[in-house]
Amino acid sequence: DLDPEDRATHLQLIRTLRSRGELKQARTQLDAAMAHFPKDSEVLLEAVEIALASGAFKKAVGLAKRVLELDPINARVRAVIGQSHLSHARKQIAANNTAAARGELEEAAQWLRSTEERGSIKLLHGLIDAPAETSAALLREGIAELGGTLAGSFHLLLEAGRTRRDPKALLHRAGVDLSAAPRAEEI
């Protein structure tokens, strides 16, 4: 209140409130900071983080794109956009809205490049693709890209929980045998 132009204090206050889970107060402080620093990439990044914390994935993507206008090579923001699309795809899969989920996965694929991220996209596609053989192939590919049977199956189980799918059925469809001993390189 005494020094509204102190950007560092605004950012610290927003981060503290967000880390405590006080999102309503964090948004209030963010609005005050945005009034003074509307084109500051750090303030916009905090807006992205608050949107993500509150589950507003589309809003987070929009804000992240504003950061990219200011800082086009910001790898963190590109990853946030891709992960936001993945999160929104999970939400759509859980709601049985496969068309919207496919669209979100296609958007995520444009932003995410690592092998692990591609593996997650394949797992999620495997959850919604209709033909059983296509779905099973995507699940197996995703598991392989996520580190093999041990790590990949763990990711598959996480995705099953996030999307309200039957984990045993997914493991069976992917052809995963959890009773087999993992290979040394998987561990």
Side-chain angles (χ1 to χ4, degrees):
D1 289 341
L2 298 175
D3 189 4
E5 298 296 321
D6 184 1
R7 177 182 158 274
T9 301
H10 276 288
L11 289 171
Q12 184 60 43
L13 183 56
I14 293 166
R15 288 176 182 142
T16 300
L17 291 168
R18 181 174 47 82
S19 69
R20 288 184 186 169
E22 299 175 19
L23 298 179
K24 186 175 181 180
Q25 293 88 345
R27 277 191 288 273
T28 301
Q29 289 302 317
L30 177 66
D31 290 342
M34 292 290 285
H36 293 287
F37 314 102
K39 293 189 177 191
D40 186 278
S41 62
E42 286 294 314
V43 174
L44 286 169
L45 277 173
E46 283 305 314
V48 169
E49 294 294 339
I50 290 171
L52 289 173
S54 62
F57 304 117
K58 288 288 189 185
K59 183 175 184 174
V61 168
L63 291 165
K65 287 180 179 178
R66 284 180 54 194
V67 174
L68 284 179
E69 290 172 7
L70 301 170
D71 184 7
I73 59 170
N74 191 322
R76 179 174 171 237
V77 173
R78 291 182 174 281
V80 164
I81 291 171
Q83 291 298 328
S84 294
H85 282 297
L86 275 184
S87 295
H88 199 247
R90 289 181 186 107
K91 190 174 175 180
Q92 296 299 327
I93 292 169
N96 292 317
N97 188 350
T98 57
R102 277 189 188 92
E104 290 297 323
L105 290 172
E106 295 304 319
E107 283 290 324
Q110 293 179 18
W111 296 98
L112 301 175
R113 300 282 183 237
S114 77
T115 302
E116 294 81 17
E117 292 166 334
R118 293 289 186 179
S120 292
I121 292 170
K122 284 183 181 177
L123 280 183
L124 291 171
H125 267 296
L127 297 179
I128 59 175
D129 279 347
E133 60 276 354
T134 304
S135 173
L138 284 168
L139 291 175
R140 285 191 298 274
E141 287 175 28
I143 286 171
E145 290 180 15
L146 287 164
T149 303
L150 184 64
S153 297
F154 178 73
H155 282 280
L156 179 59
L157 293 173
L158 285 175
E159 295 298 356
R162 291 173 177 156
T163 59
R164 298 187 204 132
R165 297 289 189 259
D166 179 18
K168 288 181 183 179
L170 289 174
L171 288 171
H172 178 71
R173 191 177 343 154
V176 173
D177 180 16
L178 292 180
S179 64
R183 297 184 321 253
E185 59 270 7
E186 288 182 317
I187 296 173

